[in-house]
Amino acid sequence: MALIVQKYGGTSVGSVERIQAVAQRVYKTVNAGNSVVVVVSAMGKTTDGLVKIAQEISQNPNRREMDMLLSTGEQVTIALVSMALQEIGQPAISMTGAQVGIVTEAEHTRARILDIETERLSSHIAQGKVVVVAGFQGISSLRDMEITTLGRGGSDTSAVAIAAAIGANFCEIYTDVPGILTTDPRLVAEAQLMDEITCNEMLELASLGAKVLHPRAVEIARNYGVPLVVKSSWCDDPGTWVISPKPQGRSLVNLEIARPVDNVEFDTDQAKVALLRVPDKPGVAARLFGEISRQNVDVDLIIQSIHEGNSNDIAFTVTAPILKRAEAVASAIAPALRNQSHPNSDEAEVMVEQNIAKVSIAGAGMIGRPGVAAKMFATLAEAQVNIQMISTSEVKVSCVVDAAECDRAVAALRQAFEIEADNGTKGQKQQKEISPLSPTPHSARAKRPATANSTQHSPPPVRGVALDMNQARLAIRQVPDRPGMAAKLFGLLAQHNVSVDMIIQSQRCRIVDGVPKRDIAFTVSRIDGESTQQMLTQVASELGWGEVVLDNAIAKVSIVGAGMVGQPGIAAKMFEALAQHQINIQMIATSEIKISCVVAQEEGVKALQVIHAAFGLAGSEKFVIPA
């Protein structure tokens, strides 16, 4: 017997017939000897319809009243699903988020889960009932009883959080696709189904706009070791397993906000090579990293800054022992990148820097929390550590610093994030007891069945390609190059609740009135673009910054895969695919398992398609998404 949480999205419960089909699936699961908790979304486009009505009444509806309104959608569904189960002879009871005891922050329309009081839920399960829970919602406290909603993807988040709280054997997410695909089947019909994917890979893909799973749900699964599988509501195919690492015994108190950072990492065996003033045209990155790949030079971080005039800067880090080989490759290719009409120009200069270190904070609790990166930058500033390069991902923020400052940086970060040198749990709250409902504890849960993919061959280095068309880029010109500038900038953004994705600090340094200055560019959600530009422009002169430039016409295309580590040819293949189709790369940022490129908005879909084809990710079957 297993304890299973099943989540059904809006399309899965979009009509009477579909609700009845869900009831039959749940009934079949119970008859196989399992206990089941069902989490549902609002029917079909109910939430969109409610939002539209609210906007017809008010251009700026009150957040509290929006929560009151939107929470009604799931209440309709839970009652109907419970009725459908009862009609076929299965005892069932519907429960709102408040009745289940999902306690959240007092943040209307975007609350995070703090705690789940499982006693009432457990009692109904013990009586043999299927409990049908309203996803997407909770209450601010058991005393205030203010209804809150969790924001986009909230039902996924509710389901995985409940699975963690009651110690479920696994959580099934039912959706309108047969599992997790290599890209959006609406853009590439031949997208291939994956048997399994790691939580870290899924976090990156989910945060890049892959809509099958919300990143907050994946974050909870990763942090609490919840086995997660994504399946189709329309067939009995096995779906895709999302593989979580062994849980670290995290507290269930402050479930979504406790310990955003699990570890502080560092690498002193690093050196940096930068090509300054390379032409801003398609093919430059492909040419450079193609040659790097041919020379078998393994690259760690890659960044390409915003363009200035007709040129860009590209920088990458390598391990110190292969620096001379990397420098030789860059020096050999630099003359070919110079402006042939001005042979005496200083374009494509190679700059090498040794004695650097990479310092990183890691953890799955950083998603959508602008204050975490800001805290890292502020901590380094207080320790008088200057940041030379920045690289961000969903599970890690890395900064390149002077090697002599590495120990000081690591010590300061460990103290700030309460991480002991042996990766202990200093400052962690007492572990909350896990419900005994499941016959086995988390560490001994039923494992997914072995798949052909996992037993016969290794997964490809690139698992998926994602496109984000909803970002804007902000560039701040001439930011003073001294400790504390990044902390001030990203601290301001955190205060205004602006989440940042890519962050690029230019390699080119200018001396203006005796002060060294660099440009900093970063991407944010497009809806935050104009207000963020206005806010930063107001403080620019006070902080010694130059112009704040906004570009809304961008797209970000990314490849993700844990297997790309140690394979320099992966970046080259991505850049070459774009170059062959004359798609210019405006920015590059990388992490260990992700490479992202900013391109023009009108070229975003084409960029995704050519990259997906270049890595041979297409399958033989075409997927059609049900209406």
Side-chain angles (χ1 to χ4, degrees), residues 606-617:
K606 183 181 178 183
L608 176 138
Q609 291 169 341
V610 302
I611 292 169
H612 192 269
F615 286 100
L617 295 176

Side-chain angles (χ1 to χ4, degrees), residues 28 35 73 78 82 105 169 312 318 470 480 562 591:
K28 182 179 176 181
S35 298
I78 59 174
S82 294
E105 301 170 304
N169 292 82
N312 283 321
V318 297
N470 297 308
S591 70

Side-chain angles (χ1 to χ4, degrees), residues 334-606:
L337 298 177
R338 291 184 181 132
N339 191 331
Q340 299 305 311
S341 61
H342 298 84
N344 296 322
S345 73
D346 61 350
E347 292 178 346
E349 172 191 355
V350 178
M351 181 177 71
V352 173
E353 189 164 352
Q354 302 184 62
N355 302 317
I356 63 169
K358 182 176 71 172
V359 180
S360 309
I361 55 172
M366 297 188 275
I367 298 166
R369 297 185 216 180
V372 177
K375 183 175 181 178
M376 179 187 193
F377 303 149
T379 299
L380 294 177
E382 288 167 11
Q384 288 298 299
V385 175
N386 197 35
I387 300 169
Q388 300 179 24
M389 290 173 73
I390 298 169
S391 170
T392 59
S393 79
E394 292 308 319
V395 294
K396 188 174 288 189
V397 180
S398 299
C399 295
V400 170
V401 301
D402 192 290
E405 298 175 334
C406 180
D407 288 348
R408 190 162 78 249
V410 170
L413 291 170
R414 282 178 174 155
Q415 181 177 9
F417 290 104
E418 298 183 320
I419 305 294
E420 293 183 351
D422 61 354
N423 195 25
T425 54
K426 178 182 176 184
Q428 183 180 345
K429 292 189 179 181
Q430 184 177 352
Q431 174 74 11
K432 182 180 176 183
E433 233 177 78
I434 293 175
S435 164
L437 277 169
S438 177
T440 53
H442 276 260
S443 59
R445 287 179 183 161
K447 299 294 187 290
R448 61 181 173 79
T451 64
N453 191 49
S454 63
T455 57
Q456 294 181 8
H457 57 83
S458 299
V462 175
R463 304 307 311 281
V465 186
L467 176 67
D468 190 341
M469 301 283 281
N470 297 308
Q471 293 207 354
R473 178 179 60 213
L474 285 148
I476 307 178
R477 304 291 187 183
Q478 299 183 17
V479 176
D481 184 31
R482 59 173 179 254
M485 277 294 112
K488 286 181 180 176
L489 168 58
F490 295 101
L492 271 170
L493 296 174
Q495 288 171 25
H496 287 80
N497 204 35
V498 177
S499 291
V500 175
D501 185 12
M502 297 172 69
I503 303 173
I504 304 289
Q505 184 170 271
S506 72
Q507 296 306 294
R508 214 178 305 184
C509 191
R510 282 204 210 88
I511 306 298
V512 180
D513 298 329
V515 179
K517 296 193 174 187
R518 299 182 190 270
D519 298 339
I520 293 182
F522 54 93
T523 60
V524 298
S525 174
R526 189 170 295 152
I527 60 173
D528 291 330
E530 289 187 9
S531 59
T532 303
Q533 181 191 31
Q534 292 170 5
M535 180 266 292
L536 294 176
T537 299
Q538 290 172 0
V539 299
S541 58
E542 176 189 336
L543 296 172
W545 301 344
E547 183 184 9
V548 181
V549 182
L550 173 67
D551 185 355
N552 277 318
I554 65 164
K556 184 181 74 171
V557 62
S558 307
I559 58 174
V560 172
M564 69 172 68
V565 177
Q567 298 199 40
I570 300 301
K573 182 180 283 192
M574 180 184 188
F575 303 152
E576 178 61 29
L578 296 174
Q580 287 178 356
H581 291 82
Q582 291 298 301
I583 298 173
N584 194 35
I585 301 171
Q586 300 179 16
M587 290 170 69
I588 300 170
T590 68
S591 70
E592 282 88 344
I593 65 171
K594 179 178 71 174
I595 302 173
S596 296
C597 295
V598 168
V599 300
Q601 186 179 39
E602 65 269 17
E603 295 182 317
V605 173
K606 183 181 178 183

Side-chain angles (χ1 to χ4, degrees), residues 89-362:
Q90 172 57 50
I93 184 170
S94 62
M95 297 178 73
T96 65
Q99 290 170 323
V100 171
I102 298 175
V103 180
T104 75
E105 301 170 304
E107 284 280 346
H108 287 294
T109 74
R110 58 188 181 206
R112 289 180 177 272
I113 297 172
L114 301 179
D115 199 4
I116 301 179
E117 300 294 333
T118 59
E119 291 78 16
R120 188 175 179 187
L121 181 62
S122 302
S123 173
H124 286 302
I125 295 170
Q127 294 170 32
K129 297 177 186 176
V130 170
V131 183
V132 186
V133 180
F136 176 68
Q137 61 181 248
I139 51 171
S140 60
S141 72
L142 296 175
R143 178 175 55 85
D144 295 336
M145 299 291 286
E146 283 288 314
I147 293 175
T148 55
T149 63
L150 309 182
R152 189 176 70 83
S155 292
D156 287 353
T157 305
S158 299
V160 182
I162 288 170
I166 65 175
N169 292 82
F170 51 91
C171 180
E172 299 176 335
I173 305 290
Y174 286 92
T175 181
D176 53 8
V177 291
I180 298 163
L181 304 171
T182 51
T183 195
D184 187 342
R186 297 171 183 85
L187 302 178
V188 180
E190 298 82 8
Q192 193 171 356
L193 179 67
M194 297 181 232
D195 293 327
E196 60 184 48
I197 187 170
T198 68
C199 261
N200 283 356
E201 290 170 324
M202 191 65 237
L203 273 172
E204 298 288 5
L205 286 172
S207 300
L208 291 165
K211 298 179 178 65
V212 178
L213 272 176
H214 195 273
R216 281 169 61 186
V218 185
E219 171 190 351
I220 296 168
R222 179 187 187 273
N223 286 342
Y224 294 94
V226 178
L228 190 60
V229 61
V230 178
K231 296 183 174 185
S232 170
S233 297
W234 323 114
C235 65
D236 293 322
D237 292 348
T240 305
W241 284 89
V242 182
I243 310 304
S244 300
K246 186 178 179 180
Q248 298 297 313
R250 293 173 68 98
S251 172
L252 285 162
V253 176
N254 290 332
L255 189 145
E256 274 203 275
I257 66 170
R259 285 186 61 203
V261 174
D262 293 324
N263 201 9
V264 176
E265 303 167 357
F266 64 94
D267 183 357
T268 56
D269 189 27
Q270 293 259 313
K272 179 175 70 176
V273 178
L275 270 78
L276 308 184
R277 295 178 291 276
V278 299
D280 181 30
K281 63 183 182 182
V284 171
R287 195 167 181 178
L288 171 61
F289 289 98
E291 187 58 33
I292 285 172
S293 174
R294 284 187 286 275
Q295 299 299 323
N296 202 32
V297 174
D298 190 19
V299 172
D300 185 3
L301 303 179
I302 303 171
I303 67 164
Q304 177 180 306
S305 62
I306 51 171
H307 67 83
E308 181 175 358
N310 295 316
S311 67
N312 283 321
D313 300 339
I314 299 178
F316 57 93
T317 62
V318 297
T319 57
I322 62 171
L323 173 61
K324 288 188 177 179
R325 194 149 38 108
E327 182 182 2
V329 172
S331 298
I333 202 170
L337 298 177
R338 291 184 181 132
N339 191 331
Q340 299 305 311
S341 61
H342 298 84
N344 296 322
S345 73
D346 61 350
E347 292 178 346
E349 172 191 355
V350 178
M351 181 177 71
V352 173
E353 189 164 352
Q354 302 184 62
N355 302 317
I356 63 169
K358 182 176 71 172
V359 180
S360 309
I361 55 172

